[in-house]
Amino acid sequence: MNSDTSCPPDCTASRPLLAERHVARLLLGTLLGRLPNGMAPVAILLLIAEQGGSLATGGLLCALYGLASAVGQPALGRMVDRRGQTGVTTAAVLVTTVCLLLLPYADALAQPGLAAGLVVLAGLSTPPLEANLRSLWGAVLKDPERRRAALALDTGAQGLIYVAGPPLVAALSALQGPGAAMTVTAVLGLLGASAVLSAEPSRQWQPQDRHTGGILGPLQHGGLRLLFLAVCGVGFALGAMNVWAVTMADQHGMALLSGVIPAALSVGSLLGGILYGRLRRPGQLGTQLRTAAFLFALAWVPLAVHPGPIAATALTALPGLFLTALITSAFLTVDALAPAGTRTEAYAWLIAAVGTGQAAGTALAGALSTHPFIAALPTAGAFACLVVLLGARRRLAVSSAARRRGRHRRRPAHAARR
């Protein structure tokens, strides 16, 4: 029986979001299942160092892992849209788990091809848990405002993966070694994915019979292509910020800054998600998207003037406050504009665009790490996002009818029975 039948609609709306049926399990399971995204790169670096490899070798393998993951997400998303979540995601989880478990036994110095192959395959098969979750919210929460609040909380909480993951790997490596840390990484990802895949909404999720995207899928829509390009700027800002945090730590002789500054942005993002989810009338979707992009870009400006370590840490939380609203609005736009039968793939393209931009920002900031201009790179990426969104204003226009179609595009069997 539906748990909402015991109280009127206003009772359901006032209930804590995590108390809604399936919400806590799906959200926490997805976060646990995605922990390898934040843990695996650090574990790879430590593993290569233990084997006597150079930092350059470890960095190359980390880059291969991130790039392979970005490439694999849209492909897996398309398979989910056609075959459902259970089979595709289960196969992906098993492949990436086996690869991560085997990686400690591959000597990157003696067998570089084997190590690189395992890293690439682990990245390509990274399960599309985040895209899957965004596709499930419409089936789990029928009220549009509750769905928006869940999406905001989900988006804001994703940063915790990169706050909790690296310190956990460092602690495990110090106690048991990098091999044990990699093993725990694989097991945690398997447990989290299992919690999501065994939940009723995921098991009952059915792909849509009608697919209108053609061979290009969601990329057929010109507005979505521009949106994906815009969020590359968001990822660029985040990637450049990570490198800038390391340079700040070196300049001030405070190693903690390299972790504290990104953590401050993640905390701001989580807080921003909670605040954004509480908004009752956030306005038109296009206006939300452009306003959030403007505030996100503006919040980076004070950091471009080289503040001190304490001020830099505090100021980095400001972009985080608007990051969740920006990404959530982008996902809602994808939900409304994606061609029929391509929604999971479209979500995966958005996630991949952020990851691709992040890799580019990391690479450029690394090349300019000794240049004062590095502090302005996050601002440049954020303003690039804003410029693209302003230019794509008409192509990203979302009618109220389109938003309704996007929200109710799926009706799983368990929802129909209720």
Side-chain angles (χ1 to χ4, degrees), residues 140-377:
V140 175
L141 299 167
K142 299 305 176 186
D143 179 66
E145 293 304 317
R146 302 288 276 176
R147 285 198 298 273
R148 183 175 61 82
L151 183 57
L153 178 61
D154 167 18
T155 302
Q158 296 302 322
L160 296 178
I161 295 169
Y162 303 97
V163 174
L168 179 58
V169 170
L172 289 170
S173 296
L175 293 174
Q176 298 294 331
M182 184 66 79
T183 300
V184 172
T185 298
V187 171
L188 288 177
L190 179 62
L191 292 176
S194 299
V196 174
L197 292 171
S198 60
E200 184 181 5
S202 180
R203 288 186 289 105
Q204 297 291 346
W205 192 92
Q206 296 295 325
Q208 193 172 4
D209 294 332
R210 179 166 161 262
H211 303 277
T212 61
I215 191 172
L216 293 178
L219 296 181
Q220 176 179 307
H221 194 291
L224 289 181
R225 291 198 300 269
L226 291 172
L227 177 62
F228 299 152
L229 178 61
V231 297
C232 281
V234 177
F236 184 93
L238 300 179
M241 180 270 300
N242 287 330
V243 179
W244 170 71
V246 174
T247 62
M248 285 284 291
D250 290 340
Q251 291 172 6
H252 296 279
M254 301 173 64
L256 281 177
L257 282 179
S258 61
V260 170
I261 289 179
L265 185 133
S266 297
V267 171
S269 177
L270 179 59
L271 180 59
I274 295 173
L275 295 176
Y276 178 74
R278 291 180 176 273
L279 291 177
R280 294 301 178 188
R281 297 182 181 275
Q284 293 295 323
L285 187 53
T287 303
Q288 292 180 50
L289 186 61
R290 291 185 295 274
T291 302
F294 172 75
L295 294 174
F296 179 70
L298 196 64
W300 283 109
V301 173
L303 292 164
V305 297
H306 301 280
I310 297 177
T313 303
L315 289 172
T316 305
L318 292 179
L321 288 174
F322 308 110
L323 173 63
T324 299
L326 175 55
I327 297 298
T328 302
S329 299
F331 272 110
L332 291 173
T333 303
V334 166
D335 183 60
L337 297 181
T342 68
R343 187 163 55 169
T344 306
E345 182 185 353
Y347 289 154
W349 273 112
L350 187 66
I351 295 165
V354 175
T356 303
Q358 191 165 1
T362 301
L364 184 57
L368 299 175
S369 59
T370 59
H371 197 285
F373 181 71
I374 187 175
L377 287 180

Side-chain angles (χ1 to χ4, degrees), residues 58-78:
L60 177 60
L61 290 177
C62 288
L64 285 175
Y65 177 81
L67 181 61
S69 180
V71 170
Q73 289 300 291
L76 290 171
R78 177 170 291 198

Side-chain angles (χ1 to χ4, degrees), residues 135 255 401:
S135 295

Side-chain angles (χ1 to χ4, degrees), residues 53-155:
S54 65
L55 184 60
T57 301
L60 177 60
L61 290 177
C62 288
L64 285 175
Y65 177 81
L67 181 61
S69 180
V71 170
Q73 289 300 291
L76 290 171
R78 177 170 291 198
M79 294 173 66
V80 168
D81 280 326
R82 283 158 173 73
R83 299 182 179 275
Q85 293 191 1
T86 305
V88 174
T89 310
T90 298
V93 169
L94 292 177
V95 172
T96 195
T97 300
V98 169
C99 289
L100 293 178
L101 289 174
L102 291 176
L103 197 55
Y105 300 98
D107 192 327
L109 300 181
Q111 302 169 303
L114 177 60
L118 289 173
V119 166
V120 170
L121 188 55
L124 287 173
S125 60
T126 299
L129 294 174
E130 187 177 359
N132 286 357
L133 180 61
R134 272 58 188 277
S135 295
L136 292 176
W137 286 135
V140 175
L141 299 167
K142 299 305 176 186
D143 179 66
E145 293 304 317
R146 302 288 276 176
R147 285 198 298 273
R148 183 175 61 82
L151 183 57
L153 178 61
D154 167 18
T155 302

